[in-house]
Amino acid sequence: MKQTGFLSIVFMFLCHALLAQEINTNPILSPWAEKVDKNLPLQEYPRPQMVRTNWKNLNGQWDYVILNKGQGLPTDYEGKITVPFPVESYLSGVNKAVGSQKELWYRKTIRVEKNERKGRILLHFGAVDWESEVFLNGQSIGIHTGGYDPFSYDITDYLTSSQSQELVVRVWDPSDEGPQPRGKQVNKPRGIWYTPVTGIWQTVWLESVPKSYIKNIKTTPDWERGKFQISIETSGDVNGMTFQVTAYDKGYKRGEAQGNINQNLELEVNDPIAWSLENPHLYDLEILLKNGSKVIDRVKSYGALRKISIGVDSKGMQRMQLNGVSLFQYGPLDQGWWPDGLYTAPTDEALAFDIKKTKEMGFNMIRKHVKVEPARWYYHCDKLGILVWQDMPSGDMGNVWEPKPGIYRKGMDKVRTAESETIFKNEWKAIIDANYNFPSIVVWVPFNEAWGQFKTKEITEWTKSYDPSRLVNSASGGNFQLEGTKLVGDIFDVHNYPDPVMPSPDLFGKNNILVLGEYGGLGLPVEGHTWQDKDNWGYQSFKTQEELMARYQKLIQDLNELIPLGLAAAVYTQTTDVEVEVNGLMTYDRKVVKFPADALKKLHVELYKNK
């Protein structure tokens, strides 16, 4: 959001608030909507960083009912919902709002065969927004809070002798009436704020594992030495057991190491190949849990040798480096919303589409904006070769604005309740844990534009300490905190619409990476491809693609002039139109690309030339 022209933006938001829409029950649809099989949606293995063969996808038709909060287990259900699409979405088949005074209930009969009960049975949820309670055969087996992190339960001891088991899930989500992380979701969508997302929105699945098994793996690349640092977390009795990791490249063994369960393992790769944007080289990893020579558990994963770091140019300005080489990073602000599935892409092909188009347009980075994607989205980024800046979804909003870009002001942290702080910290840690292994992620962004920003120094320092392998952008476009002669975190990031600007090189320019975290927002409504017929907007609107392209070319010319002065990265708003916003590179339904991809790529190549 804009930091100059603030009053005009406030006026725009107020106007749109008066036109607040209900749930859109007849939205435009993406090309993949008709490919969705409501009985078998999103059947791909959901966790590419830790793959087992014994699993069962539970996506599809579930019973649902919406009841007043606190009523207890339902006796009747009102219809069918297609999981994992949010209840407010078209693809869910429901298209209904829930709100803070009600709860959404799901029910599904699942089958667990005898041959699946040799070890333990795990029930996995990719993500459920926001509070969920899971019941199996009438017994509560756990409550989880957090809308963006995966979680699981060992359901073995709750199974009956029957093959059929009754699975029930209760969900409560206060959206913007609560302090929890929720990103762009609001109960009354308008302007840059979108339809709420309630309930299961990522894949649900069962997994059969041994009694002692690998619960989690953590892979850290050591690019300079051609090694991986690998540790594992286990469950069950693993006394005296060891683990072994083998790296493969196109089926050929490139390295192997083994050691004790409670130690970090160094896996050296023969003739190591770095992961880069031009050659996103991935090594296949096989992790074994062993008791002597006997293999107890086996999972497959992958890793990449790459390093993100800070370098200094000839003028003493800080630059981002990939594998020791300075690289200007340029990408779109990516909201990750869909007209038919809201938070959930209709298919895996659709999930990868935006990334592929971004790469085709010549961008080398994506800023994933106040949303966390399913694991397969990051897997596609890893495979295709594009960098990711990952935002923490905002919540418990409270904005204090700076007067203009590049001006440092101190002491603007929001005071949040102890409950609110705990919710944020727990979920931020869970998000980092869940996505740590994806090499495409190179920057963590805890706060955006002072939205609920609190204890900036503490949160930033914790993030850097918890994951020293990545850079931290403490406050994208937000309120900055001074620590000595530099700002807290690695990056000084300002926002401005529509024209590019940069933080003053004289203000911490030699102590922080200078970034334009948002700019652009050029709008073009395309008839027949808008969320609503009128009152669509962009930060600056145009009537033809030719006018739009001419203005964008001028933005790139101006951006090019800032790079020699010390600008190290920029983010253009945005990948697609979203609901009433029409400032996307593509329409919301992805059916119209507003800019010729080859022309954009030609423009963007100039940004990456060493200035």
Side-chain angles (χ1 to χ4, degrees):
M1 188 164 53
K2 187 172 184 175
Q3 289 192 331
T4 56
F6 173 61
L7 292 179
S8 64
I9 296 298
V10 171
F11 177 75
M12 175 190 68
F13 284 174
L14 290 174
C15 290
H16 281 285
L18 297 174
L19 298 170
Q21 60 190 31
E22 300 297 325
I23 298 296
N24 191 339
T25 58
N26 188 32
I28 53 174
L29 302 179
S30 71
W32 302 275
E34 63 183 20
K35 298 179 181 179
V36 173
D37 180 345
K38 67 180 182 180
N39 295 306
L40 296 169
L42 294 166
Q43 292 297 294
E44 293 79 12
Y45 191 84
R47 192 182 58 188
Q49 276 283 358
M50 194 171 151
V51 179
R52 283 193 182 91
T53 55
N54 296 324
W55 74 290
K56 184 184 297 182
N57 194 312
L58 298 183
N59 293 345
Q61 295 291 283
W62 293 43
D63 301 319
Y64 88 95
V65 66
I66 299 171
L67 299 175
N68 290 331
K69 192 173 185 290
Q71 280 193 210
L73 281 163
T75 54
D76 294 303
Y77 289 78
E78 62 184 86
K80 296 290 185 181
I81 184 170
T82 304
V83 169
F85 298 104
V87 67
E88 294 90 349
S89 73
Y90 170 87
L91 287 174
S92 73
V94 179
N95 262 164
K96 290 180 182 178
V98 180
S100 63
Q101 302 305 308
K102 294 183 180 295
E103 292 172 326
L104 170 63
W105 291 84
Y106 297 83
R107 180 181 66 184
K108 185 178 181 65
T109 299
I110 62 175
R111 292 177 62 85
V112 180
E113 311 293 343
K114 279 187 177 182
N115 62 0
E116 296 174 322
R117 302 191 190 204
K118 295 176 182 178
R120 311 299 294 179
I121 304 295
L122 306 182
L123 172 63
H124 295 277
F125 293 85
V128 181
D129 198 358
W130 175 70
E131 177 188 276
S132 62
E133 182 173 10
V134 177
F135 300 82
L136 193 66
N137 300 316
Q139 295 186 69
S140 175
I141 62 174
I143 295 176
H144 177 267
T145 57
Y148 301 93
D149 59 304
F151 59 98
S152 61
Y153 298 105
D154 184 336
I155 64 171
T156 312
D157 297 336
Y158 297 89
L159 298 172
T160 66
S161 58
S162 170
Q163 287 184 338
S164 297
Q165 317 288 324
E166 184 188 56
L167 174 61
V168 172
V169 180
R170 174 190 63 83
V171 176
W172 175 68
D173 180 16
S175 190
D176 56 339
E177 294 179 37
Q180 82 291 346
R182 42 91 177 177
K184 291 292 192 79
Q185 303 176 56
V186 293
N187 288 311
K188 293 184 178 180
R190 74 271 182 196
I192 67 166
W193 310 104
Y194 316 139
T195 303
V197 170
T198 302
I200 299 169
W201 68 275
Q202 290 187 31
T203 292
V204 187
W205 47 293
L206 286 177
E207 183 180 36
S208 300
V209 299
K211 291 179 180 178
S212 301
Y213 62 93
I214 299 167
K215 190 174 182 179
N216 188 40
I217 59 174
K218 185 175 182 179
T219 305
T220 305
D222 185 344
W223 166 77
E224 288 166 317
R225 298 197 300 156
K227 296 181 178 181
F228 292 103
Q229 303 286 338
I230 298 174
S231 62
I232 69 168
E233 180 185 353
T234 59
S235 183
D237 182 6
V238 295
N239 187 40
M241 294 187 188
T242 59
F243 78 103
Q244 175 182 303
V245 184
T246 307
Y248 295 93
D249 185 8
K250 298 180 176 62
Y252 294 97
K253 184 187 291 188
R254 294 302 183 197
E256 187 170 279
Q258 57 183 343
N260 296 324
I261 299 297
N262 298 317
Q263 72 178 73
N264 286 339
L265 205 62
E266 276 200 351
L267 174 63
E268 185 172 359
V269 177
N270 298 326
D271 300 320
I273 301 172
W275 182 95
S276 67
L277 301 175
E278 299 76 24
N279 179 30
H281 190 86
L282 301 177
Y283 288 96
D284 295 318
L285 302 176
E286 183 180 57
I287 300 95
L288 305 179
L289 177 64
K290 300 175 72 175
N291 190 356
S293 61
K294 183 180 180 181
V295 175
I296 304 300
D297 191 18
R298 181 194 311 264
V299 297
K300 291 185 177 181
S301 185
Y302 68 89
L305 293 171
R306 68 99 184 92
K307 180 181 180 180
I308 186 70
S309 58
I310 301 172
V312 178
D313 67 15
S314 59
K315 298 177 183 177
M317 305 302 291
Q318 292 198 0
R319 300 288 182 178
M320 293 182 176
Q321 293 189 331
L322 179 64
N323 303 333
V325 178
S326 294
L327 173 69
F328 184 80
Q329 295 190 24
Y330 184 56
L333 192 74
D334 193 313
Q335 313 274 7
W337 287 72
W338 297 83
D340 33 35
L342 299 179
Y343 258 16
T344 310
T347 66
D348 193 64
E349 180 187 6
L351 189 68
F353 177 81
D354 289 357
I355 306 166
K356 290 179 179 178
K357 278 296 175 187
T358 299
K359 183 98 175 175
E360 286 175 15
M361 292 175 182
F363 295 100
N364 63 14
M365 173 263 283
I366 295 170
R367 180 182 168 201
K368 180 52 62 175
H369 191 41
V370 295
K371 184 203 175 188
V372 180
E373 291 289 355
R376 290 192 63 84
W377 187 86
Y378 302 97
Y379 168 64
H380 290 307
C381 290
D382 292 344
K383 285 182 63 179
L384 293 168
I386 198 157
L387 304 175
V388 176
W389 295 14
Q390 180 59 58
D391 286 12
M392 170 65 178
S394 47
D396 204 354
M397 303 297 194
N399 301 53
V400 182
W401 292 98
E402 299 185 12
K404 60 182 180 179
I407 299 298
Y408 162 75
R409 290 182 64 186
K410 185 180 179 182
M412 294 193 181
D413 277 348
K414 178 182 173 66
V415 177
R416 294 171 72 155
T417 67
E419 177 194 25
S420 176
E421 287 190 12
T422 299
I423 288 170
F424 178 99
K425 291 174 182 178
N426 288 346
E427 192 153 2
W428 185 222
K429 178 181 181 298
I431 288 167
I432 293 174
D433 286 341
N435 298 289
Y436 180 89
N437 290 344
F438 295 112
S440 54
I441 299 176
V442 293
V443 176
W444 296 119
V445 188
F447 298 111
N448 177 76
E449 291 187 354
W451 295 349
Q453 185 176 338
F454 75 103
K455 294 186 176 177
T456 308
K457 186 173 184 293
E458 176 188 325
I459 298 299
T460 302
E461 289 179 348
W462 178 88
T463 304
K464 285 187 66 64
S465 173
Y466 195 64
D467 182 8
S469 71
R470 293 179 170 93
L471 305 180
V472 178
N473 184 359
S474 66
S476 183
N479 298 319
F480 310 104
Q481 299 290 318
L482 182 63
E483 183 179 29
T485 58
K486 70 186 292 289
L487 299 181
V488 168
D490 300 309
I491 293 169
F492 187 3
D493 173 336
V494 298
H495 295 179
N496 190 71
Y497 288 94
D499 295 291
V501 300
M502 67 180 288
S504 170
D506 299 326
L507 287 173
F508 318 111
K510 295 187 178 181
N511 295 317
N512 292 90
I513 302 165
L514 303 184
V515 163
L516 174 59
E518 291 181 29
Y519 89 106
L522 306 182
L524 176 68
V526 179
E527 187 175 354
H529 300 276
T530 56
W531 181 249
Q532 59 189 32
D533 293 333
K534 58 181 181 178
D535 299 316
N536 298 290
W537 70 273
Y539 289 99
Q540 184 178 7
S541 295
F542 300 87
K543 294 182 179 179
T544 68
Q545 286 183 302
E546 290 74 22
E547 291 177 351
L548 183 70
M549 185 62 182
R551 184 69 174 99
Y552 186 81
Q553 286 176 312
K554 180 62 169 62
L555 294 183
I556 296 298
Q557 289 172 8
D558 293 343
L559 192 62
N560 259 306
E561 294 177 5
L562 299 178
I563 298 173
L565 302 179
L567 188 68
V571 177
Y572 178 81
T573 300
Q574 59 191 351
T575 306
T576 71
D577 297 347
V578 184
E579 299 199 354
V580 302
E581 284 190 82
V582 290
N583 41 30
L585 298 162
M586 298 179 282
T587 54
Y588 195 18
D589 58 10
R590 278 72 167 175
K591 292 180 179 177
V592 178
V593 180
K594 301 179 189 179
F595 298 85
D598 55 348
L600 282 191
K601 187 170 186 177
K602 196 171 183 180
L603 284 173
H604 297 161
V605 164
E606 295 299 314
L607 299 173
Y608 310 133
K609 292 181 178 178
N610 194 341
K611 301 293 195 294

